[in-house]
C-alpha cells in the first residue's frame, strides 16, 4: 500500500545513516591495542601464570579467565554493535545488565546445535556434515540475535536467525 511505503520512507530519512562497515574496520581491528583492553589482556595473561604454582589453583583460575574473557568479549561485541568502538566511552555508554548472561546463553545455543547435529549424525553421516556446516554458518547470526534480544529462545529460533541473515 502507498501509506506503508510512505511511512517506510519517512522512517529511513529520520534514522541516522550508519556508515558502511569497511569504513570502520581499522577501528575494529585496532580495538585490542587501546589502553584498557590491552591492560585487561595483560592482567588475564599474568593470572594464567598461576597454573605453574598449582594445577588445582591453576584450573580454577583458567576457568575464571575463560569466563572473564567471554563476558568481556560479549560486552565489546554489544558495544560495537551500538557503534561504540572506543573503550574509554564504555563508562558513559549504556550497558545492559542482561549482557552478563550472554556467554551462558551462547553456550546453551551451541549445546542445542550439538544436539541437533548428533541427531542428524545418527541418521546419516552426510546429514551430520550438513548440520555442522549450517551450524557454523549460523554462528554469526546467532551472536547478532543474542546481542540484540538477549533471548536464548530468539537465538535458537530459525525465523529470527533468517531475519538477521536477511
Amino acid at each position: 500500500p502507498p501509506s506503508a511505503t510512505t511511512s517506510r520512507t519517512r522512517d529511513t530519512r529520520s534514522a541516522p545513516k550508519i556508515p558502511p562497515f569497511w569504513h570502520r574496520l581499522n577501528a575494529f581491528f585496532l580495538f585490542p591495542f587501546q589502553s584498557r583492553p590491552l591492560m585487561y589482556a595483560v592482567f588475564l595473561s599474568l593470572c594464567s601464570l598461576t597454573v605453574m604454582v598449582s594445577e588445582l589453583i591453576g584450573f580454577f583460575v583458567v576457568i575464571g579467565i575463560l569466563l572473564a574473557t567471554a563476558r568481556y568479549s560479549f560486552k565489546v561485541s554489544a558495544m560495537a554493535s551500538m557503534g561504540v568502538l572506543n573503550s574509554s566511552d564504555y563508562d558513559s555508554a549504556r550497558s545492559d545488565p542482561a549482557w552478563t548472561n550472554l556467554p551462558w546463553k551462547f553456550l546453551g545455543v551451541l549445546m542445542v546445535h550439538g544436539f541437533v547435529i548428533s541427531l542428524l549424525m545418527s541418521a546419516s553421516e552426510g546429514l551430520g556434515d550438513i548440520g555442522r556446516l549450517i551450524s557454523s554458518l549460523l554462528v554469526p547470526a546467532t551472536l547478532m540475535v543474542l546481542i540484540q534480544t538477549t533471548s536464548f529462545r530468539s537465538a535458537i529460533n530459525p525465523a529470527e536467525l533468517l531475519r538477521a541473515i536477511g
Side-chain angles (χ1 to χ4, degrees):
S3 61
T5 308
T6 310
S7 67
R8 216 177 307 135
T9 308
R10 260 187 273 131
D11 292 343
T12 309
R13 289 182 195 158
S14 64
K17 184 171 166 85
I18 298 173
F21 76 92
W22 56 86
H23 289 211
R24 303 178 71 172
L25 276 178
N26 289 341
F28 177 77
F29 285 112
L30 291 176
F31 181 85
F33 298 107
Q34 295 178 30
S35 61
R36 285 185 180 184
L38 188 61
M39 294 308 296
Y40 191 63
V42 166
F43 171 73
L44 291 178
S45 297
L46 292 174
C47 287
S48 70
L49 293 175
T50 60
V51 173
M52 294 182 193
V53 174
S54 164
E55 286 185 26
L56 181 62
I57 293 171
F59 172 76
F60 289 110
V61 170
V62 167
I63 296 297
I65 289 170
L66 289 174
L67 291 174
T69 302
R71 285 183 64 188
Y72 190 70
S73 299
F74 272 98
K75 180 178 181 177
V76 168
S77 299
M79 293 298 226
S81 73
M82 294 185 328
V84 180
L85 293 174
N86 191 348
S87 65
S88 62
D89 295 337
Y90 279 17
D91 297 332
S92 61
R94 182 185 70 90
S95 181
D96 190 348
W99 293 343
T100 338
N101 298 322
L102 289 182
W104 298 111
K105 291 177 182 180
F106 185 63
L107 178 63
V109 169
L110 292 179
M111 291 176 76
V112 169
H113 282 215
F115 178 72
V116 170
I117 290 169
S118 68
L119 287 176
L120 291 171
M121 189 67 85
S122 67
S124 161
E125 191 172 326
L127 282 176
D129 291 340
I130 292 170
R132 280 196 299 254
L133 177 66
I134 291 172
S135 175
S136 297
L137 294 174
L138 286 179
V139 166
T142 301
L143 287 172
M144 285 189 273
V145 169
L146 197 55
I147 288 170
Q148 288 175 352
T149 65
T150 67
S151 166
F152 173 78
R153 279 191 177 155
S154 295
I156 61 171
N157 183 346
E160 285 290 321
L161 296 175
L162 288 174
R163 184 190 60 76
I165 291 169

